[in-house]
C-alpha cells in the first residue's frame, strides 16, 4: 500500500504555495494525500515565523506529535518553511522526534530528504534562492492546486528591505526575481491547463526585476530604464485565457506610475490593490524604515484610484510598534478613515528576535492599551468596509465561483474582481471556476449576498478591448 502524507500550512500565500509544491513532489514519489494528520505516514509542518504566535503554534503541535510518534514510531515528521529556515537548531533541541528539517530554498528536495530520513535525521537548509535554477526556485516546480482555475506564481523570492519589525529578509534572503520569459511561459502553460486566474507573489512585487536589471548591467547588456513589474503585468495580461491577474504585495514606497498605468490599461488586472500601510504616523513609519510618509502613502493611493476605475483597496496595519503613542495611533485612525479601506489585516506588534524593533524593549507598548487600540482600529476599518460593500447593493457583479459557502453549504461562494466574497443560492451546481453574473441584494462588513443573474462566458471585456492593443 502506498504511504500517505499530510501537510499543515502555517503561513502566507507563499508558504501555501510551497505546500502545493511539496504535495506534488510527494505524490510524484508515490504517496497519497491523507484525510487527517493523525492517520498520515508522513507529516510535514510548513512553518511561518512572522509573529510570535506562529512560533508557539508550531512548538505546541510538535508536543502533540511527540505522543503520536511514541504510539506509531514509523511516522515521519518533517518541519519545513520559514521557522525551519530560521530556527533549525531550536527545532532540533526542542524536538528530537523530528526526522527532517528543510528550508524555504530546499522545497524541491522534499521527497528525497524524507526518503533519506529512513536512515536517520536529515537537515538541509540552503541560504538563498538561485535566479535561473529552475529546481531551487519557488513556483518553477509542478504544484498541486486546490482550485483548478486559479494559480499562484512566485515572481520574486526574498526581500531587500529592512523594515525594523520584520523577520522575512532574515529568513527568505535577498530579492531574487525569476526571468520574465519563464514567468510568461509558465502563465501560458497554466492557461493551456485551464487556469484563468493568476496571483503574482512577492514580498515587494513592484521592485520585481531590479536584480535582473543589475545583473544585466554588470554583464554589459542593455537595460530598459522602466520598472519591469509594469512590463510583467502587461506581458501576463497578454496571455490568452488569463482573465484575472492579482498581485501581492506592492510596497507603497515603490508604487510607481508605470505600475498604476499597467493596472489601468491591462484589462485582466483586477481592480484591487493590497497596499500595506503599517502605520498612519510618519514618525512611526520612519522608525519602521518603511521609506514613505503617511502623506506620500495617501498621495499614491489617490493616484491609483484616479487611474483605476472602481479600485478596491486593502491593507496591513501593525498596532503597538515600539514607541507608538496615543497620538501616533490617532494618526493611524485618521489615515485609515481617509483611505476608506475595503478590508484590512490588522496585527498586534510581535517582537521577532534579531530584528531592530525587538531590541527596543524599553519602548514596548502596554499590552492592554494595544488591545484597546486594536479594537478601535477594527471599528474604523469595519465602517469603511461595510460602506464599500453596501455601495454594491443593487448592482451586478461578475464573480468566479469558488465552491459551496463554508458557513452554509446551501449557498455558493464567488469572488469579484475586487476580491469581495459573494454568497448566493444556486439552483444548479456550478463548478469552481465558472464565471457568473450576480445581483447584489445585501451587504455585511466582510461579504455580499446575491442572486444568480446568469452564468456568463468568461469575461466580456475581451470583446470590448482588443488584447492586441499592447
Ligand atoms: N512584504 C510585505 C509584508 C509581508 S509580512 C510588505 O512589506 O508589505 C505581512 C504582514 O505581516 C506585514 O505587512 C505586517 O503588517 C505584518 N507583520 C510583519 N512583521 C510583523 C511583526 N513583527 N509583528 C506584527 N505584524 C507583523
Ligand atoms: Fe518585511 Fe518590509 Fe520586506 Fe515586507 S518589505 S517583507 S515588511 S522587510
Ligand atoms: Fe510567509 Fe510567514 Fe514566511 S508570512 S514569508 S511564511 S515568515
Amino acid at each position: 500500500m502506498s504511504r500517505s502524507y499530510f501537510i499543515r500550512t502555517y503561513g502566507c500565500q507563499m508558504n501555501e504555495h510551497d505546500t502545493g509544491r511539496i504535495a506534488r513532489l510527494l505524490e510524484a514519489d508515490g504517496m497519497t494525500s491523507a484525510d487527517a494528520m493523525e492517520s498520515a505516514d508522513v507529516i510535514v509542518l510548513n512553518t511561518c515565523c512572522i509573529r510570535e504566535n506562529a512560533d508557539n503554534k508550531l512548538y505546541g503541535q510538535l508536543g502533540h506529535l511527540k505522543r503520536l510518534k511514541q504510539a506509531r514510531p514509523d511516522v515521519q515528521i518533517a518541519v519545513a518553511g520559514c521557522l525551519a529556515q530560521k530556527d533549525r537548531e531550536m527545532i532540533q533541541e526542542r524536538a528530537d522526534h523530528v526526522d527532517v528539517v528543510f528550508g524555504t530554498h530546499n522545497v524541491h528536495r522534499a521527497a528525497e530528504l524524507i526518503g533519506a530520513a529512513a536512515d536517520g535525521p536529515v537537515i538541509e537548509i540552503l541560504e538563498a534562492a538561485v535566479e535561473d535554477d529552475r529546481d531551487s526556485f519557488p513556483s518553477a516546480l509542478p504544484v498541486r492546486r486546490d482550485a483548478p482555475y486559479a494559480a499562484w506564481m512566485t515572481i520574486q523570492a526574498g526581500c531587500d528591505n529592512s523594515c525594523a519589525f520584520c523577520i522575512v529578509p532574515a529568513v527568505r534572503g535577498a530579492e531574487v526575481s525569476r526571468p520574465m520569459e519563464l514567468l510568461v511561459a509558465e502563465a501560458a502553460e497554466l492557461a493551456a491547463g485551464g487556469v484563468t486566474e493568476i496571483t503574482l507573489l512577492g514580498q515587494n512585487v513592484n521592485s520585481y526585476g531590479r536584480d535582473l536589471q543589475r545583473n544585466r548591467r554588470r554583464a554589459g547588456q542593455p537595460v530598459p530604464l522602466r520598472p519591469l513589474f509594469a512590463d510583467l503585468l502587461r506581458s501576463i495580461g497578454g496571455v490568452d485565457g488569463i482573465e484575472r491577474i492579482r498581485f501581492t504585495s506592492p510596497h507603497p514606497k515603490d508604487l510607481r506610475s508605470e505600475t498604476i498605468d499597467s493596472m489601468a490599461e491591462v484589462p485582466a488586472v483586477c481592480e484591487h490593490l493590497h497596499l500595506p500601510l503599517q502605520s498612519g504616523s510618519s514618525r512611526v513609519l520612519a522608525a519602521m524604515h518603511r521609506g514613505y510618509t503617511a502623506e506620500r502613502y495617501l498621495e499614491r493611493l489617490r493616484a491609483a484610484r484616479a487611474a483605476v476605475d472602481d479600485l478596491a483597496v486593502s491593507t496591513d496595519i501593525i498596532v503597538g510598534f515600539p514607541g507608538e503613542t496615543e497620538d501616533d495611533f490617532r494618526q493611524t485612525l485618521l489615515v485609515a478613515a481617509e483611505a476608506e479601506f475595503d478590508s484590512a489585516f490588522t496585527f498586534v506588534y510581535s517582537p521577532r528576535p534579531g530584528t531592530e524593533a525587538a531590541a527596543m524593549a524599553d519602548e514596548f507598548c502596554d499590552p492592554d492599551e494595544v488591545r484597546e487600540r486594536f479594537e478601535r482600529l477594527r471599528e474604523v476599518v469595519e465602517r469603511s468596509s461595510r460602506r464599500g460593500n453596501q455601495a454594491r447593493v443593487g448592482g451586478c457583479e461578475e464573480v468566479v465561483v469558488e465552491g459551496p459557502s463554508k458557513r452554509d453549504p446551501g449557498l455558493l461562494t464567488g469572488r469579484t474582481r475586487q476580491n469581495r466574497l459573494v454568497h448566493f443560492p444556486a439552483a444548479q451546481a456550478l463548478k469552481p471556476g465558472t464565471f457568473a453574473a450576480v445581483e447584489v441584494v445585501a451587504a455585511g462588513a466582510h461579504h455580499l449576498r446575491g442572486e444568480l443573474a446568469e452564468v456568463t462566458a468568461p469575461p466580456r471585456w475581451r470583446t470590448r478591448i482588443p488584447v492586441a492593443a499592447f
Side-chain angles (χ1 to χ4, degrees):
M1 226 180 70
S2 68
R3 301 211 312 146
S4 64
Y5 72 89
F6 186 93
I7 309 177
R8 171 144 182 215
T9 308
Y10 290 80
C12 61
Q13 287 158 316
M14 249 181 223
N15 190 245
E16 214 167 316
H17 186 39
D18 286 346
T19 290
R21 299 163 56 223
I22 296 169
R24 186 70 194 80
L25 289 165
L26 299 186
E27 282 165 15
D29 202 41
M31 289 190 214
T32 53
S33 163
D35 294 333
M37 185 181 276
E38 283 68 23
S39 61
D41 301 308
V42 172
I43 298 169
V44 183
L45 305 176
N46 196 13
T47 60
C48 169
C49 53
I50 196 84
R51 285 169 290 276
E52 196 179 355
N53 61 357
D55 284 25
N56 292 344
K57 269 194 233 159
L58 173 76
Y59 290 116
Q61 183 66 259
L62 283 175
H64 167 68
L65 289 180
K66 188 165 191 132
R67 290 186 289 282
L68 186 77
K69 181 115 179 167
Q70 277 157 1
R72 289 174 47 214
D74 290 349
V75 171
Q76 282 187 303
I77 299 169
V79 180
C82 286
L83 190 61
Q85 184 84 24
K86 176 175 84 75
D87 264 3
R88 67 194 102 158
E89 287 87 10
M90 180 98 96
I91 291 166
Q92 271 176 297
E93 271 166 34
R94 291 176 66 167
D96 56 6
H97 54 297
V98 169
D99 299 276
V100 187
V101 180
F102 62 94
T104 51
H105 308 300
N106 305 79
V107 166
H108 61 295
R109 301 250 304 136
E112 282 117 301
L113 298 176
I114 289 168
D119 305 324
V122 172
I123 296 187
E124 193 171 283
I125 313 270
L126 239 167
E127 291 307 327
V130 186
E131 169 199 326
D132 48 6
D133 177 350
R134 277 191 70 102
D135 281 342
S136 85
F137 208 99
S139 113
L141 289 164
V143 57
R144 185 191 74 186
R145 284 185 282 107
D146 294 331
Y149 63 90
W152 283 315
M153 277 182 20
T154 302
I155 63 169
Q156 162 202 62
C159 179
D160 283 350
N161 292 317
S162 44
C163 302
F165 53 81
C166 185
I167 191 83
V168 170
V171 289
R172 291 262 173 182
E175 275 172 27
V176 182
S177 304
R178 289 185 67 205
M180 201 178 310
E181 318 77 77
L182 286 185
L183 293 170
V184 175
E186 196 171 301
E189 246 169 68
L190 289 166
V195 166
T196 55
E197 177 167 332
I198 287 183
T199 302
L200 307 176
L201 298 178
Q203 292 300 347
N204 183 10
V205 290
N206 34 27
S207 72
Y208 164 78
R210 269 203 304 230
D211 55 315
L212 300 176
Q213 290 182 319
R214 202 169 43 231
N215 296 347
R216 271 188 225 158
R217 206 172 297 119
R218 281 197 194 126
Q221 292 163 348
V223 176
L225 287 175
R226 29 175 223 286
L228 289 183
F229 184 61
D231 287 3
L232 181 68
L233 286 180
R234 286 176 196 275
S235 304
I236 295 188
V239 172
D240 206 19
I242 299 303
E243 317 285 8
R244 289 183 170 191
I245 299 171
R246 304 184 186 280
F247 55 89
T248 190
S249 297
H251 194 299
K253 82 176 160 59
D254 297 320
L255 184 62
R256 304 257 303 259
S257 53
E258 290 88 341
T259 301
I260 295 177
D261 292 346
S262 284
M263 288 184 72
E265 288 161 22
V266 179
V269 176
C270 289
E271 294 76 23
H272 173 217
L273 182 65
H274 181 71
L275 198 61
L277 170 66
Q278 312 302 1
S279 169
S281 154
S282 297
R283 195 190 70 79
V284 172
L285 287 169
M288 288 175 164
H289 310 309
R290 286 292 288 179
Y292 54 88
T293 59
E295 293 69 32
R296 168 88 180 147
Y297 178 94
L298 288 169
E299 182 274 313
R300 290 287 75 203
L301 195 55
R302 274 194 295 273
R305 282 200 165 120
V308 182
D309 237 12
D310 208 14
L311 182 72
V313 181
S314 56
T315 198
D316 295 344
I317 300 173
I318 296 177
V319 179
F321 181 80
E324 181 189 82
T325 61
E326 172 60 24
D327 190 48
D328 290 319
F329 177 68
R330 286 209 190 122
Q331 308 277 336
T332 299
L333 291 182
L334 286 175
V335 173
E338 182 162 350
E340 282 269 327
F341 292 121
D342 293 279
S343 65
F345 296 100
T346 46
F347 305 104
V348 167
Y349 168 71
S350 167
R352 305 286 56 218
T355 59
E356 185 182 330
M360 300 157 76
D362 48 349
E363 292 183 71
F364 283 3
C365 300
D366 173 60
D368 289 336
E369 214 158 292
V370 172
R371 262 193 294 278
E372 190 225 31
R373 286 179 192 169
F374 187 86
E375 212 30 54
R376 286 156 68 198
L377 176 62
R378 203 184 53 76
E379 278 167 27
V380 169
V381 173
E382 210 162 285
R383 224 172 291 148
S384 59
S385 54
R386 194 181 292 275
R387 229 185 349 252
N389 281 344
Q390 271 162 356
R392 318 300 292 182
V393 174
C396 190
E397 303 273 342
E398 176 202 88
V399 305
V400 171
V401 173
E402 294 195 339
S405 148
K406 289 197 183 91
R407 289 232 188 106
D408 179 352
L411 297 176
L412 284 177
T413 296
R415 199 174 284 273
T416 70
R417 288 174 60 90
Q418 295 183 318
N419 213 31
R420 296 177 202 275
L421 285 179
V422 191
H423 305 300
F424 60 99
Q428 56 194 120
L430 300 180
K431 276 202 317 220
T434 304
F435 284 82
V438 174
E439 306 275 1
V440 181
V441 296
H446 306 291
H447 68 273
L448 304 174
R449 280 293 297 264
E451 298 289 344
L452 179 64
E454 59 171 328
V455 174
T456 56
R460 286 162 277 192
W461 56 255
R462 281 200 182 280
T463 53
R464 295 205 305 266
I465 307 166
V467 174
F470 6 93

